Amino acid sequence: MSIKDSELILNPDGSIYHLNLKPEHIANNIILVGDQDRVEKVTKHFDSIEFSTQKREFKTQNGFYKGKRLTVISTGIGPDNIDIVLNELDALVNIDLITRKPKETLTSLNFIRIGTSGSLQQDVPVDAFLMSTHGLDLNGMLHSYKTEGIDNPDFENAFIEFTNWSSKKARPILINNSKILEKIFESDQTYKGITATAGGFYGAQGRVLRLPVQDSDFNKKLDTFNYQGIRITNLEMETSAIYGLSKLLGHQALSLNAIIANRATGQFSENPKGVVEKLITYALNKLA
């Protein structure tokens, strides 16, 4: 049965609704960045750019780096935007946009996130590179889908008990990364750990301005939680959504973070742009 027009929305030119892309506009290796201005900070290293477009916060450039075809897309902020980006990218390769039917042979994409994050641990310093071994979903977006098979109930139950997790919040889900991509990108330059993914920047990450938060000890609990020697190292707003949707859709995903702040020490990077630039170069060379 064909997917209805209201569910798979296309623009008049046949491109996918939010991203404004057609299947030929993307490579199998896709770099995801949050900030639309970061797209060109990646593609300035390319040998050539063959395609560029932007709609809202979703900016895309496609080109070649050392002979390898790559796509760079800005997702904007948060798991809700990741829901749009990954579903539409999957549709481009795994749904026939003419017949509006899923293809019999499916394509697996490689997603590499290059993002920024704050460390929760004193020993994961400012200006470090951090590779997310897992994404800990604290925002609830993935509960819109059937997540059986990608979760880790023993870890999740231990986390819920340790943090006295409110029943009013969505159940946390722990999703592991792509071990295939981890082997490609790991080195003695990268720290590793669990990346917690919140649904907001302020209260959802324990920041207090004028509004009181539901759990004033939230960050302390994240800092001190330890499950079989595994710690939560950082907190941001995209990784678990990327990992979860990639697992469900059959893609490979890895999140790399430039640590620009340390919440435990109160430090902020003196040169955050420089750290991001170094991580971009590191990731591109690993991909090539």
Side-chain angles (χ1 to χ4, degrees), residues 75-82 113 116-118 137 139 141 195-202 204-205 207 234-242 257:
T75 64
I77 298 174
D80 51 343
N81 274 17
I82 297 299
R113 177 180 185 258
T116 57
S117 182
D137 193 82
N139 57 79
M141 186 277 288
T195 297
T197 300
F201 184 77
Y202 289 98
Q205 295 190 33
R207 291 183 173 91
N234 61 314
L235 181 60
E236 45 80 275
M237 297 176 63
E238 288 82 30
T239 293
S240 72
I242 294 170
N257 290 271

Side-chain angles (χ1 to χ4, degrees), residues 8 33 37 44 66 75 92 105 126 144 154 182 223 229 269:
L8 175 61
V33 298
D37 292 337
K44 72 179 183 181
K66 294 184 178 180
T75 64
L92 289 174
T105 302
V126 167
S144 298
D154 291 343
E182 180 177 322
D223 295 349
S269 174

Side-chain angles (χ1 to χ4, degrees), residues 99-200:
T99 65
R100 309 181 71 86
K101 294 180 180 180
K103 297 178 180 179
E104 292 185 5
T105 302
L106 301 179
T107 297
S108 179
L109 300 171
N110 293 323
F111 294 114
I112 300 92
R113 177 180 185 258
I114 298 178
T116 57
S117 182
S119 169
L120 296 174
Q121 304 293 341
Q122 288 191 14
D123 60 340
V124 180
V126 167
D127 298 341
F129 299 165
L130 187 134
M131 176 187 295
S132 304
T133 58
H134 302 76
L136 178 59
D137 193 82
L138 304 179
N139 57 79
M141 186 277 288
L142 289 173
H143 285 290
S144 298
Y145 305 95
K146 294 181 179 180
T147 59
E148 293 83 359
I150 68 166
D151 53 354
N152 289 271
D154 291 343
F155 177 99
E156 294 154 11
N157 290 334
F159 179 80
I160 289 168
E161 181 178 358
F162 181 84
T163 59
N164 192 26
W165 192 255
S166 172
S167 61
K168 295 180 180 180
K169 296 180 179 179
R171 177 184 169 87
I173 307 172
L174 186 76
I175 312 105
N176 62 293
N177 68 9
S178 163
K179 296 306 175 186
I180 295 172
L181 293 179
E182 180 177 322
K183 289 180 180 179
I184 295 172
F185 286 87
E186 68 182 346
S187 74
D188 56 8
Q189 292 181 254
T190 57
Y191 289 76
K192 292 183 180 180
I194 295 173
T195 297
T197 300

Side-chain angles (χ1 to χ4, degrees), residues 16 19-32 50-53 59-64 69-73 85-94 97 103 107-111 251:
I16 200 83
L19 301 185
N20 215 33
L21 297 172
K22 296 180 181 180
E24 61 267 26
H25 293 152
I26 63 170
N28 281 9
N29 293 289
I30 299 175
I31 296 172
L32 303 175
E50 62 179 9
F51 176 80
S52 183
T53 191
K59 182 172 183 175
T60 303
Q61 290 192 331
N62 203 60
F64 290 85
R69 189 169 185 248
L70 302 173
T71 298
V72 186
I73 299 179
V85 173
L86 261 71
N87 272 292
E88 293 197 359
L89 289 173
D90 177 78
L92 289 174
V93 295
N94 289 322
L97 301 185
K103 297 178 180 179
T107 297
S108 179
L109 300 171
N110 293 323
F111 294 114
H251 304 297

Side-chain angles (χ1 to χ4, degrees), residues 235-264:
L235 181 60
E236 45 80 275
M237 297 176 63
E238 288 82 30
T239 293
S240 72
I242 294 170
Y243 282 10
L245 290 175
S246 294
K247 291 287 184 184
L248 293 171
L249 291 166
H251 304 297
Q252 304 293 321
L254 187 71
S255 181
L256 302 171
N257 290 271
I259 299 299
I260 62 171
N262 188 299
R263 299 287 296 278

